[in-house]
Every structure is written in structure tokens, then in C-alpha cells.
Amino acid sequence: MKNKNVVLIGFMGAGKSLISNKLANMLNLDVISTDAIIKKQEGREIARIFEESGEAYFRELERKTVVNIKDRKNTIIDCGGGVVINPDNVADLKKNGLLIYLKASAETIYKRIKGHKHRPLLNVTSPKQSIEDLLTKREPFYSQADYVIETDEKTLNEICDEILRIINDE
Ligand code: S3P
């Protein structure tokens, strides 16, 4: 595990940001988020980027962000939920990192993100259906992870402990 990054992937609402920050704290490592980098660079919220410039533009920004961060080491990387749909991103992130998929069911995701307006892809008339459809479509991408952690019935601490065990065994 020496010098490697811990790369958290998974659907919106899977807990990537919360867990990234907690892990970074526990391990005394840097934490970066692709969404936060994009927001800062653009000086606009993600929802605004989608609205004003479209999803394709956002995906280009996401790609550039991965290229810029791919050579980092000892970093917890919190990836936006769609980062893995680009195979180049997966290949780049795998070079220096351990990809961990935080898996959650559509039901759990729906409960967690209900009422959150800042997620453009789910700010639709039937978010539950969109989650189910998108999750099914995305599953093959998320499954490219080195490890999968089921998060549905687990607390934040339990999930972090599981990740720490993985890191120690590597
Ligand atoms: C997206 C997930 C979001 C953000 C954007 C698109 C996706 O990040 O990058 O709204 O395509 O799944 P989170 O997974 O951190 O919510």
C-alpha cells in the first residue's frame, strides 16, 4: 500500500465525501475531491456547470482533473459519481491507487439524497426511477474497483474500519 492513493468511487449519496474526509483525518493524509477542484476552477457550482455548459463539458473538466491529479501519492481521492464512466479515468486512477467502490442500493441512495437540489442528474421529476436506471447502467463501471464495500446497513465507522483493514492487508 506504500505511497498509494485510496480512490473512493460510487454513486451519488454513497458517502464518498464523508468517508474520504474521515479517512484522511484518521490516516493523516491529504484528501482531494474531483468535484471540489472543478467547482473551484470554474468558480461555479456543479449544478450551474451542468445547466449553463452541459454534461459533456463537465465530463471534459472531470477528465482534465483526473489527468492533473493522477500522479499524486498518499492521497485520499473522492471521485464524483460519474468519473468512472470514462475508461481513461479508471486506468489513470488505478496506476497509483486502490479503487474502492462504496456500494449502496437505489433505496438507500434515494433516502440519502432526497431533497438535495445540488445534484443535477437527480433533480428530475422521478428521482427514484433515475437512480435505479443510472445505477444499473453504472454498475459495470463501479465493478472495476479493486474492492467493493456494501454500505447499506453500515455505520460510517464500520465502513472506515473496513477500508483500514483493506489498506493494512495490501
Ligand atoms: C455525478 C456525481 C456528482 C457530481 C455530478 C455528476 C454523477 O458527484 O460529480 O453531479 O454523474 O454521478 P457526487 O457523486 O459526489 O455526488
Side-chain angles (χ1 to χ4, degrees):
M1 189 49 219
K2 210 163 177 293
N3 290 332
K4 270 200 163 183
N5 300 316
V6 176
V7 183
L8 296 186
I9 63 169
F11 207 78
M12 294 167 263
K16 299 177 300 264
S17 303
L18 221 58
I19 291 164
S20 297
N21 286 311
K22 195 166 162 68
L23 274 180
N25 242 309
M26 293 167 96
L27 296 167
N28 199 19
L29 294 178
D30 288 338
V31 57
I32 56 174
S33 132
T34 57
D35 278 353
I37 293 171
I38 292 170
K39 266 196 243 177
K40 193 164 172 210
Q41 264 172 8
E42 287 284 299
R44 334 179 248 177
E45 291 299 319
I46 304 292
R48 256 206 122 77
I49 301 174
F50 268 72
E51 213 175 279
E52 295 171 352
S53 312
E55 180 173 350
Y57 177 76
F58 175 76
R59 298 298 172 203
E60 274 171 37
L61 297 176
E62 230 172 18
R63 174 69 196 129
K64 283 185 193 145
T65 306
V66 171
V67 170
N68 288 335
I69 63 174
K70 72 180 170 51
D71 296 322
R72 288 192 67 112
K73 290 187 173 116
N74 291 314
T75 302
I76 310 284
I77 303 178
D78 167 16
C79 292
V83 162
V84 295
I85 60 182
N86 183 333
D88 292 337
N89 287 342
V90 175
D92 283 342
L93 291 165
K94 272 200 173 191
K95 269 183 209 140
N96 278 349
L98 204 61
L99 259 66
I100 300 184
Y101 170 28
L102 298 181
K103 188 170 183 169
S105 65
E107 188 65 36
T108 300
I109 291 164
Y110 179 65
K111 275 192 214 143
R112 290 188 189 150
I113 58 101
K114 216 167 21 175
H116 293 189
K117 290 276 177 270
H118 63 275
R119 290 193 162 100
L121 294 176
L122 303 178
N123 204 1
V124 292
T125 27
S126 36
K128 189 125 189 267
Q129 191 59 49
S130 296
I131 293 168
E132 278 166 16
D133 295 347
L134 205 53
L135 196 55
T136 307
K137 218 163 88 189
R138 295 256 181 101
E139 193 56 38
F141 297 101
Y142 294 136
S143 299
Q144 299 173 89
D146 299 296
Y147 293 92
V148 179
I149 298 186
E150 304 276 350
T151 66
D152 277 350
E153 309 293 333
K154 292 179 188 148
T155 64
L156 199 62
N157 281 336
E158 285 169 335
I159 298 166
C160 286
D161 284 349
E162 234 174 277
I163 297 176
L164 292 179
R165 274 200 296 277
I166 291 172
I167 295 173
N168 281 333
D169 289 348
E170 271 291 316

